[in-house]
Amino acid sequence: MKVTESIIPLRQWIASEQQKKNFSVDVLLKNQSLLRTTTVAYGIVELLKRAKIVSSSDQLPSTSRTPSWENSFSVDNFLVRTSSPSNRHESPRAQEVSDRASWNNIRGLTMVSHSLNAHINEPSFLYDLLEEKVHDGMGMYLEVEVSSQLAEYHGTYYDTAALGKATGDSGSLDCQKLGLLLYELYSGSSPVFSSETKNQIIQSGIISGKDAHQQFQEGGEPAQKDADVVRYDKKKGKSYSTTLQRAYASLQESGFPSSICTLVQNLIDGSELYHSLEAASEDVHLLLCDPECYLFDQLGSMPPKLRIKEGKVFGREAEIQGLTDAFCRVSSGKSEALFIGGYSGSGKTVLVQSVTARVNIAGGYVLSRKIDQMSRDRPLLEVLAAFNDLCLLVREKHPAGEVASIASKLLLEFENDFSMLERLVPNIGGLCPSRESAPREPGIDQVVMNSHSVNYVLQRFVRIISSKKNPVVLFLDDLQWAGSPALDLIYAILSDTRGSVIFFVGSYRDNEVVDADHPLFELMANLELSGIHVKNVQLSGLDQHDLNLMISESLCMFPRISNPLSDIIFSKTLGNPFFALFFLSSLIDTRLLEYNLRERRWIWDQAKIRSECITDNVLYLLTKKMTSLPENVQLLLTTLSCFGIKADERIVSYLDMTTQYSGISVLLDRAISERCIQKQCTEFQFVHDKVREAAYSLIPDATKKQFHYDLGMLLYSVSEGQNLNNTLFQVVDQINYGIPALIQPEKQLDISKLNFQAGSIAMARSDFTTAHSYATNAVSLLPVGHWQRNYEFVLQLYFLIAKSAHAGLGSTDKATKYLSSIIQNGHNIDDKLDAYYYYITILHHSEKRLEAFNACREVLLQLNEEIEISHDPCVLLKEIQDTEALLDRVSDQDWYTMKEMDDTRAQSIVKFYELMTNICYQFKAELMPLITCKMIRVTLQHGISTESVVGLTMYAAIRCRMSISNVEGAHRIGKIALNLSKRFNSPGMIPKIHANYYGFVAVYVEPIQSCAHMLGKACEVGMSTGGSGVALDCAIFIVRFGMLCSGKELNSLLKTTDYFIGLATQFDHNMSRTFLTIYREVISTLRDRPSASSQNDAKQIVEETINSSPAKMRAFYTNRMLLSFWQGYSQRCNHFVDKLLSLKLLGGHNQAYVKFYGALNLLQGLKNKNGIGARCETKPVAKAEKFCKDAIKFLKLAQALSSWNYSNKIQLLEAELLSIKGRNSEATFRYKAAITSSRSSKFIHEEGFAAERAAIHYQTNGDKEDAINCFNQAKRCYEEWGSGMKVDFIEQKLSLLMS
């Protein structure tokens, strides 16, 4: 921006400003003139500070001496440099900045006597940070750079010691001279003194005799004015007021602001408040930094109110910097937690809010919620509400294109279980408007999430929404009221290692969290154990300096003037910010602090304030204030306090409908004007916790329960029959204070139903702990003989309390108690079915499989379905053949057009058959074919349902496991079932369907990597819907496929395995943890070498696995086979291959890989026998060749189904056989084909092994160059696979080969 500068003598500039001011009636223009004048004043003080140092230096050579210091304080000693912008060709941004700044055209000053220049700049960054203020011409933080022709003195300006030495004892005299100079600067004329006073001033040296006639105005002796002056008595250590005769006209009489008058008056009078030019400089700069507070007089109502800036933080610079640094670290991609402890009123909330405003600007999503003491039983709802708000923030912060991209990611992530996310955060529908609501199945609401599944869904949600660029900042206030469910959710999200970027900030009252067992401390400890950076900050009261700054700003007076009052307030409040401000306000109420209209500033009686007797608790002052309010306002405040920190406006509208609270809007206005409450959106909220506590304390303890109960019943009477939604909780909470003593017998059933309604809503929102609390209250109010008198209601209530106890508390005993009562008291089997199903599911999850099986069989018998337990294979074979014949007669089209099952009894039969298959999977696997055949028969007779779709996939899986020759027909049925599942919106069934299809059927036909991917999605859905058992079954498939088949990068696979082991431990699934730990040892060994912990875990598994279930034995033998194979222990590998092949129901897919590794191992042994290495004695040659040929034959059957999965394996086995037989050219061809095929199928580990075996083939035949090339190729593959063990092995081979 081009600027034209002008240099004007200060006296001429003053005259010009006076002329502008005299002709202006606009307040803004006058304020701008004040700011310009104060800018010049600041430049003058800074020049005088530098000149003082230069003039007093005794090291300056005599030839360089500057003019005497005494002549420096003359108006004619200064020049003003102004600017006028010339911006015709500037950019729009530069033009905008120029226009904003043009009213203040002061660019610097020159001190003629000392040849010093002051360059005044306002930092450019303020135009962006404080746009509104800059535009209004308010608020300037100036940077002054003083330059001189005396180069050797550059830099001493910032030397505080030099400045102090230069000031010396003449500081007060300098300040008096400065006062006279500032008087003339602002008023345009010198102060009018009497002749006697003139002589005294000249004699004292404040003004030199030769300049007296220029400095003083001539003409008469005006009447002297009395002035109230604040003095400080050093001996007594206190301030006092005295009346002096002023020998000059006060600036106040000319209408100047009080701050200017006070500053100039104290300077001229030689007040001890200003002992140096530095002190004067500080206050002049303060006028510019916050002119609305310190420069301009307060306008409007008189007396003015205290100037309390909402959100302004004093004395917490270190804490703010810590919060800011933590956010910056989180923005690099690693989550953190910060806890802030302190007394109520210490400023915890304001501290966090001061930083979250910056975070919001920086792109973070700021979520803020307060845990209310009065709703402490349902804190999880507050946390869920915060994440619900996150959906709205995403839409606000991003353009439509970015929102659409985020929505696409969410829809992809929650492809099959979006309804679970929608249940927790309903606003997600607005974020993903393109999603069409799927038709709801009647049983969709029966998908019972639990606390683990809630945590898991929100983990996935935060992974998608948060990023380094847009981290989530979650602030929860008053964590001392939070219970375990809410804190467990916080832990789950923070400890997520799969991509969440979240900064959690929690505040709590440390004096109210004294129990070491409080879940808050457990959360901190668990986060640290999980590797999350945790910091705990303790806030005490403000120190005296910072408290004085706060008091100074509240009273709009310089800190050095307010300091005596602040000292008293500090002694009484210990620096608690809220307490201090309220105490200050109470001083106004008692007229110990008053606004002096003549002086236009606050004055106080220090002695009386010091003697004011108060307790160290702010509640004393708050209660005292409230009791001075009209009784109806007191009643309003005490009533609102019963609802906690805030009350919904619908509650207020219900109160307005009653006689007792009619005309409540007027009372609310009075309460708002008294700064007790404030209106925020649709809620009335107390301005602080302590205000609510004070209002609540007005209710005598002896009558509190009665007050709550009467209030609740009053609200119930006027709202009965209306849809209360969220306000239902608040109404019911009030009534529940009366349980049990205050509840009239005739009202018990109604109140029980109210609690049931509240519990049902909480259950639907997945706050199971809150649901259980309401359900427990409802049960306690049931009348005697409730099963006979209130049968239908009790059925629903008992089922609610059972579900909430199990899902929220994990209490199987309490859940089974109420379910057993339903089973015992139900009138018929149809009324008992839901209870039976949930009861049997709990037994199954508790590993009481025999009890669960018998209970399931009993239900089926009552439904006229009998399971004949027969061990005769002929019976089973006939059942399967009959079912197969039925399926052959049903075309694909018949399946897709089949009606949905509408017979409720048939639906129940299929549902319990499906449940029985889950029980038999690890318990009576031989019965599963029979059960699935029965499910298919019911389906063909009555139509399709979600459970029958599961049955079809189960049937297909069983057929595949029985024989590889069944795969083609089984795949057809499995594919049909997969397509049929899309007809139903049943996320709870998807994991079962996918586990059956992709775990047992598709692995023969589809690429193994795509099967693992789909199983991964099924695992997520299972975790989200409460089906952790089947979800972990999918996890086992994923890890086993990665370890055995797909060639997944080992480091990534190890992290995935550890993640699943963590889930299995968290969900207490010992069986799943066993499988995963067994597989982990293989992965860890291949990647590097097994750690000590891995070896210990494996040793424990070995001990547990002996004589254990067939499934565990199969996993253990597979573990040992793979370890032996990759480590080169041939005999040991053969041993475990034989063990595996001897197991029943190994399954065709497992057989294929066992035979493949077994054959490779035997072929390596045959090579050793032919001269390469030690002699293999495990099998005769003929028997080994026969095993290999059988393996190839079996693999060719599999190859016919999927060339992708099996071709490379056949080619490698054939290459090995040909190599042994000496058919080298054919073997070379097959090795190359095996390498190419492995690469094509992305089996990097098998590509590496094929290259390794080819290298050994070349080495055996003396082809060193090709051997080296193949070994290098194998090394690259193993490096990509992540197998340090195999890389080391190949490097040893290469070293020997090239030596």
Side-chain angles (χ1 to χ4, degrees):
M1 180 173 61
K2 296 179 181 179
V3 176
T4 303
E5 275 203 1
S6 303
I7 300 176
I8 308 170
L10 177 59
R11 189 177 297 280
Q12 180 181 337
W13 184 87
I14 293 172
S16 173
E17 281 297 311
Q18 291 296 318
Q19 187 177 13
K20 291 178 185 176
K21 186 169 63 175
N22 292 337
F23 284 99
S24 174
V25 295
D26 187 274
V27 174
L28 177 60
L29 294 178
K30 286 188 174 183
N31 286 343
Q32 290 178 350
S33 177
L34 271 174
L35 278 169
R36 283 194 296 272
T37 305
T38 306
T39 302
V40 171
Y42 184 53
I44 288 173
V45 180
E46 292 298 299
L47 284 169
L48 288 169
K49 283 165 57 181
R50 172 63 74 89
K52 180 73 172 179
I53 298 173
V54 173
S55 298
S56 61
S57 175
D58 55 7
Q59 298 179 1
L60 186 67
S62 57
T63 56
S64 302
R65 290 290 180 184
T66 58
S68 66
W69 171 244
E70 288 72 17
N71 299 322
S72 301
F73 293 85
S74 170
V75 171
D76 297 318
N77 190 31
F78 296 93
L79 304 174
V80 181
R81 296 199 310 279
T82 63
S83 65
S84 55
S86 176
N87 46 25
R88 290 177 299 168
H89 305 294
E90 297 295 339
S91 66
R93 175 61 178 164
Q95 175 77 43
E96 181 184 1
V97 172
S98 172
D99 291 343
R100 290 179 177 181
S102 61
W103 64 267
N104 191 1
N105 59 355
I106 310 303
R107 289 296 170 263
L109 285 92
T110 298
M111 191 174 185
V112 178
S113 61
H114 290 68
S115 299
L116 295 174
N117 293 314
H119 307 282
I120 299 176
N121 298 298
E122 185 169 7
S124 59
F125 64 80
L126 290 182
Y127 290 116
D128 295 319
L129 296 182
L130 303 171
E131 283 199 8
E132 194 169 320
K133 282 203 166 187
V134 171
H135 182 69
D136 292 337
M138 306 302 167
M140 303 175 67
Y141 182 89
L142 299 184
E143 292 177 343
V144 174
E145 179 185 353
V146 180
S147 61
S148 170
Q149 295 175 358
L150 304 174
E152 61 267 33
Y153 288 95
H154 285 184
T156 59
Y157 171 70
Y158 297 102
D159 188 342
T160 306
L163 181 60
K165 180 180 178 182
T167 302
D169 295 332
S170 64
S172 296
L173 189 61
D174 291 341
C175 288
Q176 287 181 287
K177 294 177 182 179
L178 175 64
L180 294 171
L181 179 56
L182 294 182
Y183 187 103
E184 186 169 356
L185 174 66
Y186 280 99
S187 68
S189 60
S190 298
V192 180
F193 289 100
S194 65
S195 299
E196 180 182 354
T197 305
K198 290 179 186 178
N199 294 331
Q200 292 175 352
I201 291 175
I202 293 172
Q203 290 173 8
S204 68
I206 296 176
I207 299 176
S208 61
K210 65 180 181 180
D211 294 329
H213 293 291
Q214 292 180 355
Q215 296 286 334
F216 294 132
Q217 289 186 349
E218 300 292 343
E221 297 181 8
Q224 295 177 346
K225 305 288 184 179
D226 290 343
D228 293 329
V229 180
V230 178
R231 297 292 194 191
Y232 187 76
D233 191 323
K234 290 184 177 179
K235 293 182 178 180
K236 296 182 179 180
K238 65 178 184 179
S239 299
Y240 63 93
S241 297
T242 184
T243 302
L244 297 178
Q245 280 194 329
R246 188 186 299 129
Y248 58 92
S250 169
L251 288 176
Q252 207 159 23
E253 297 170 7
S254 302
F256 282 92
S258 171
S259 56
I260 297 294
C261 301
T262 301
L263 172 66
V264 173
Q265 175 185 320
N266 279 305
L267 287 170
I268 293 176
D269 290 347
S271 169
E272 292 183 3
L273 292 171
Y274 294 97
H275 52 80
S276 67
L277 293 175
E278 179 65 29
S281 174
E282 290 174 359
D283 284 359
V284 175
H285 195 219
L286 198 58
L287 295 172
L288 294 170
C289 287
D290 195 350
E292 289 181 347
C293 176
Y294 294 106
L295 180 56
F296 307 137
D297 280 335
Q298 298 183 66
L299 303 176
S301 62
M302 287 292 163
K305 296 180 180 179
L306 292 175
R307 186 179 186 269
I308 300 175
K309 268 189 176 180
E310 296 293 337
K312 182 70 177 289
V313 181
F314 295 89
R316 307 296 190 195
E317 289 76 16
E319 290 81 2
I320 290 174
Q321 187 61 51
L323 276 164
T324 305
D325 291 345
F327 174 74
C328 292
R329 289 193 299 271
V330 171
S331 296
S332 68
K334 190 169 177 62
S335 297
E336 284 194 21
L338 188 144
F339 297 89
I340 304 173
Y343 279 71
S344 177
S346 59
K348 303 182 294 294
T349 305
V350 177
L351 169 65
V352 177
Q353 290 173 345
S354 70
V355 177
T356 54
R358 305 179 194 177
V359 170
N360 189 52
I361 294 172
Y365 302 116
V366 179
L367 310 176
S368 181
R369 285 283 163 167
K370 188 177 184 67
I371 309 298
D372 199 333
Q373 181 181 5
M374 304 304 287
S375 60
R376 59 193 301 177
D377 289 335
R378 52 176 191 274
L380 183 61
L381 289 179
E382 291 293 341
V383 182
L384 292 176
F387 286 107
N388 197 33
D389 294 341
L390 181 55
C391 301
L392 303 178
L393 284 177
V394 172
R395 293 186 66 182
E396 291 172 7
K397 277 188 169 291
H398 298 284
E402 291 182 14
V403 172
S405 175
I406 294 170
S408 296
K409 293 177 182 177
L410 284 167
L411 290 172
L412 183 63
E413 172 70 20
F414 292 93
E415 180 182 1
N416 297 308
D417 55 342
F418 192 86
S419 58
M420 298 296 101
L421 177 61
E422 201 167 25
R423 181 183 292 188
L424 300 178
V425 283
N427 287 338
I428 195 66
L431 192 59
C432 304
S434 62
R435 179 182 180 269
E436 296 182 5
S437 297
R440 292 179 64 84
E441 184 196 354
I444 183 66
D445 292 323
Q446 293 181 6
V447 175
V448 181
M449 301 177 75
N450 53 43
S451 56
H452 293 304
S453 58
V454 169
N455 297 350
Y456 191 80
V457 169
L458 289 176
Q459 273 184 339
R460 295 166 60 200
F461 174 61
V462 174
R463 282 176 208 157
I464 300 296
I465 297 296
S466 65
S467 64
K468 294 179 183 180
K469 183 181 178 182
N470 302 112
V472 171
V473 179
L474 175 61
F475 171 47
L476 291 183
D477 198 4
D478 281 340
L479 281 178
Q480 71 274 5
W481 309 125
S484 295
L487 298 181
D488 288 346
L489 173 57
I490 300 304
Y491 171 77
I493 294 173
L494 276 170
S495 61
D496 179 37
T497 59
R498 311 191 100 188
S500 297
V501 184
I502 184 167
F503 182 28
F504 174 73
V505 182
S507 69
Y508 64 98
R509 301 181 192 175
D510 52 7
N511 60 310
E512 297 185 24
V513 186
V514 293
D515 188 354
D517 294 332
H518 193 283
L520 178 58
F521 296 125
E522 184 181 357
L523 170 64
M524 295 180 190
N526 288 338
L527 286 173
E528 288 183 331
L529 288 173
S530 298
I532 304 299
H533 186 275
V534 177
K535 187 174 182 180
N536 198 353
V537 176
Q538 299 298 314
L539 289 189
S540 56
L542 300 178
D543 62 26
Q544 288 172 281
H545 173 267
D546 294 322
L547 182 69
N548 183 44
L549 290 179
M550 185 178 76
I551 300 297
S552 159
E553 189 168 300
S554 300
L555 299 177
C556 297
M557 60 172 50
F558 294 124
R560 67 187 75 252
I561 296 177
S562 65
N563 194 58
L565 175 61
S566 299
D567 287 345
I568 301 172
I569 294 176
F570 179 83
S571 68
K572 293 184 177 293
T573 65
L574 299 180
N576 184 290
F578 178 76
F579 193 177
L581 287 175
F582 197 83
F583 179 55
L584 193 67
S585 179
S586 72
L587 293 177
I588 297 174
D589 295 337
T590 56
R591 303 183 66 81
L592 296 178
L593 176 65
E594 295 183 281
Y595 189 79
N596 188 305
L597 292 175
R598 182 162 66 90
E599 295 289 332
R600 297 201 299 280
R601 70 178 184 86
W602 294 94
I603 60 174
W604 56 88
D605 188 323
Q606 293 177 200
K608 288 185 179 179
I609 294 173
R610 195 180 297 277
S611 64
E612 184 78 355
C613 181
I614 64 170
T615 67
D616 61 355
N617 193 333
V618 72
L619 284 177
Y620 167 81
L621 295 175
L622 290 165
T623 306
K624 184 178 178 181
K625 175 179 178 177
M626 286 186 182
T627 53
S628 69
L629 298 174
E631 289 187 2
N632 54 359
V633 177
Q634 291 184 51
L635 175 62
L636 169 68
L637 291 173
T638 55
T639 300
L640 292 180
S641 73
C642 291
F643 299 102
I645 194 69
K646 59 190 176 183
D648 192 276
E649 64 180 358
R650 290 190 64 186
I651 291 289
V652 174
S653 67
Y654 290 139
L655 289 172
D656 197 28
M657 295 166 62
T658 67
T659 305
Q660 189 175 356
Y661 295 94
S662 61
I664 197 172
S665 58
V666 177
L667 304 180
L668 286 168
D669 291 341
R670 176 63 186 275
I672 292 172
S673 68
E674 294 289 344
R675 293 182 59 83
C676 293
I677 61 173
Q678 57 190 351
K679 179 73 180 295
Q680 289 194 343
C681 299
T682 61
E683 295 174 330
F684 291 94
Q685 182 172 328
F686 283 93
V687 295
H688 196 273
D689 290 339
K690 286 297 181 184
V691 179
R692 190 209 70 82
E693 289 177 33
Y696 192 62
S697 70
L698 296 178
I699 309 173
D701 290 341
T703 61
K704 271 188 169 66
K705 288 187 176 181
Q706 186 71 54
F707 191 94
H708 278 286
Y709 176 70
D710 292 342
L711 175 60
M713 294 305 295
L714 181 66
L715 289 168
Y716 175 56
S717 66
V718 297
S719 63
E720 190 173 5
Q722 300 187 41
N723 184 9
L724 296 178
N725 292 326
N726 292 335
T727 57
L728 176 66
F729 294 126
Q730 295 177 320
V731 173
V732 176
D733 286 348
Q734 302 305 311
I735 296 174
N736 285 347
Y737 274 89
I739 295 175
L742 301 177
I743 311 293
Q744 300 94 327
E746 66 275 12
K747 292 289 185 182
Q748 285 186 350
L749 186 60
D750 289 342
I751 296 173
S752 178
K753 290 181 178 179
L754 271 179
N755 274 278
F756 170 75
Q757 187 181 350
S760 299
I761 293 174
M763 193 73 184
R765 296 180 182 178
S766 300
D767 188 349
F768 311 112
T769 305
T770 299
H772 184 263
S773 177
Y774 286 123
T776 300
N777 287 331
V779 169
S780 72
L781 293 170
L782 288 174
V784 177
H786 49 266
W787 273 113
Q788 291 75 31
R789 298 165 59 184
N790 311 104
Y791 176 75
E792 294 293 337
F793 172 61
V794 175
L795 274 177
Q796 298 176 61
L797 175 58
Y798 272 39
F799 194 58
L800 173 65
I801 195 170
K803 288 194 297 182
S804 61
H806 187 248
L809 307 181
S811 175
T812 56
D813 291 341
K814 194 166 188 177
T816 53
K817 169 188 171 183
Y818 284 98
L819 293 171
S820 298
S821 183
I822 295 174
I823 293 168
Q824 181 180 350
N825 292 284
H827 290 174
N828 53 62
I829 185 61
D830 292 322
D831 290 346
K832 302 177 185 182
L833 286 174
D834 286 341
Y836 262 126
Y837 190 87
Y838 206 75
Y839 176 74
I840 295 168
T841 301
I842 291 175
L843 291 176
H844 174 49
H845 289 167
S846 303
E847 298 189 0
K848 298 178 181 179
R849 295 189 180 89
L850 179 59
E851 194 176 342
F853 176 80
N854 290 334
C856 200
R857 190 179 181 193
E858 179 187 340
V859 173
L860 286 166
L861 284 171
Q862 293 184 55
L863 293 172
N864 299 320
E865 287 288 318
E866 186 173 356
I867 299 292
E868 297 179 2
I869 301 178
S870 173
H871 298 286
D872 186 350
C874 296
V875 175
L876 177 59
L877 182 60
K878 185 177 186 307
E879 184 71 30
I880 292 175
Q881 289 173 343
D882 292 345
T883 304
E884 196 71 19
L886 286 172
L887 292 173
D888 287 341
R889 292 197 291 268
V890 183
S891 68
D892 292 8
Q893 187 63 27
D894 291 337
W895 280 112
Y896 296 140
T897 57
M898 187 177 292
K899 69 169 187 174
E900 292 186 18
M901 193 179 292
D902 53 9
D903 186 318
T904 55
R905 181 59 63 93
Q907 289 175 355
S908 299
I909 291 171
V910 175
K911 185 176 181 178
F912 278 90
Y913 272 139
E914 189 273 328
L915 180 58
M916 185 174 273
T917 62
N918 295 335
I919 299 167
C920 292
Y921 181 68
Q922 297 288 351
F923 177 62
K924 290 182 177 289
E926 68 275 7
L927 292 179
M928 291 180 66
L930 178 64
I931 298 169
T932 54
C933 288
K934 286 184 174 291
M935 291 176 71
I936 290 173
R937 287 177 182 275
V938 176
T939 298
L940 292 174
Q941 184 178 355
H942 295 281
I944 199 78
S945 70
T946 52
E947 287 81 9
S948 58
V949 171
V950 176
L952 286 172
T953 57
M954 180 67 74
Y955 175 83
I958 291 170
R959 295 292 286 149
C960 287
R961 292 189 70 180
M962 292 177 72
S963 172
I964 196 171
S965 61
N966 297 330
V967 169
E968 189 172 355
H971 179 254
R972 169 182 168 260
I973 296 299
K975 201 70 175 178
I976 288 170
L978 200 64
N979 290 327
L980 285 171
S981 68
K982 298 173 184 177
R983 287 169 58 176
F984 304 97
N985 182 26
S986 183
M989 290 298 170
I990 287 173
K992 298 176 182 180
I993 294 169
H994 283 201
N996 291 333
Y997 178 74
Y998 290 106
F1000 295 103
V1001 182
V1003 287
Y1004 291 98
V1005 181
E1006 300 178 23
I1008 196 73
Q1009 295 94 336
S1010 65
C1011 293
H1013 173 74
M1014 296 305 296
L1015 286 164
K1017 297 182 78 66
C1019 177
E1020 291 178 341
V1021 176
M1023 289 294 181
S1024 300
T1025 55
S1028 57
V1030 68
L1032 287 168
D1033 288 342
C1034 293
I1036 292 168
F1037 279 124
I1038 294 167
V1039 174
R1040 190 164 68 85
F1041 289 171
M1043 171 191 71
L1044 188 66
C1045 320
S1046 66
K1048 185 176 175 65
E1049 198 272 326
L1050 291 174
N1051 193 51
S1052 173
L1053 183 59
L1054 188 63
K1055 289 181 180 179
T1056 301
T1057 306
D1058 286 339
Y1059 174 72
F1060 287 144
I1061 289 174
L1063 289 178
T1065 303
Q1066 178 185 347
F1067 285 82
D1068 199 26
H1069 281 276
N1070 294 325
M1071 178 76 79
S1072 301
R1073 184 179 178 277
T1074 297
F1075 286 129
L1076 293 166
T1077 306
I1078 289 172
Y1079 296 149
R1080 188 191 190 282
E1081 187 191 10
V1082 178
I1083 301 164
S1084 176
T1085 302
L1086 286 170
R1087 191 190 68 159
D1088 192 8
R1089 292 290 178 188
S1091 63
S1093 61
S1094 176
Q1095 289 175 333
N1096 290 335
D1097 288 342
K1099 181 180 179 182
Q1100 182 182 354
I1101 293 301
V1102 172
E1103 295 172 355
E1104 292 177 353
T1105 305
I1106 296 174
N1107 298 323
S1108 186
S1109 69
K1112 284 186 179 180
M1113 295 298 291
R1114 182 170 62 246
F1116 172 67
Y1117 292 154
T1118 303
N1119 161 288
R1120 288 296 181 257
M1121 177 193 75
L1122 289 173
L1123 283 175
S1124 303
F1125 175 81
W1126 287 109
Q1127 291 177 320
Y1129 301 138
S1130 180
Q1131 292 185 21
R1132 191 180 302 175
C1133 180
N1134 288 336
H1135 170 74
F1136 287 110
V1137 167
D1138 291 342
K1139 286 283 189 182
L1140 281 166
L1141 293 175
S1142 67
L1143 293 176
K1144 295 181 180 179
L1145 296 177
L1146 180 61
H1149 182 256
N1150 287 329
Q1151 285 187 57
Y1153 280 89
V1154 171
K1155 291 184 176 184
F1156 171 61
Y1157 281 106
L1160 280 177
N1161 185 65
L1162 286 171
L1163 289 171
Q1164 183 175 358
L1166 291 177
K1167 279 193 173 184
N1168 288 340
K1169 187 182 180 197
N1170 286 328
I1172 304 175
R1175 190 169 183 270
C1176 177
E1177 300 177 355
T1178 57
K1179 296 283 185 180
V1181 174
K1183 189 175 181 180
E1185 288 186 355
K1186 181 178 183 304
F1187 183 92
C1188 296
K1189 289 178 180 179
D1190 287 344
I1192 292 173
K1193 181 179 179 181
F1194 189 89
L1195 286 168
K1196 284 187 175 180
L1197 292 175
Q1199 182 192 30
L1201 299 167
S1202 173
S1203 177
W1204 177 285
N1205 290 338
Y1206 301 105
S1207 289
N1208 68 304
K1209 297 169 181 60
I1210 295 170
Q1211 290 160 348
L1212 181 55
L1213 289 177
E1214 289 178 341
E1216 288 283 270
L1217 275 174
L1218 290 168
S1219 177
I1220 288 171
K1221 293 178 179 180
R1223 296 161 64 178
N1224 294 333
S1225 60
E1226 295 176 76
T1228 300
F1229 178 79
R1230 285 287 191 275
Y1231 279 125
K1232 290 180 179 179
I1235 293 170
T1236 302
S1237 180
S1238 298
R1239 186 186 308 120
S1240 176
S1241 296
K1242 298 182 173 61
F1243 298 150
I1244 190 68
H1245 63 313
E1246 292 178 358
E1247 180 187 347
F1249 190 72
E1252 177 188 337
R1253 299 309 300 169
I1256 293 172
H1257 166 75
Y1258 289 129
Q1259 183 182 7
T1260 304
N1261 291 284
D1263 190 344
K1264 183 176 179 180
E1265 182 179 353
D1266 283 341
I1268 291 173
N1269 289 336
C1270 284
F1271 272 132
N1272 281 321
Q1273 183 178 359
K1275 180 183 174 183
R1276 287 193 298 271
C1277 292
Y1278 289 143
E1279 285 174 340
E1280 186 177 341
W1281 188 29
S1283 177
M1285 184 190 79
K1286 289 300 296 181
V1287 170
D1288 291 344
F1289 175 79
I1290 296 299
E1291 286 178 345
Q1292 292 173 12
K1293 287 283 189 180
L1294 281 168
S1295 178
L1296 290 172
L1297 183 61
M1298 293 187 292
S1299 63

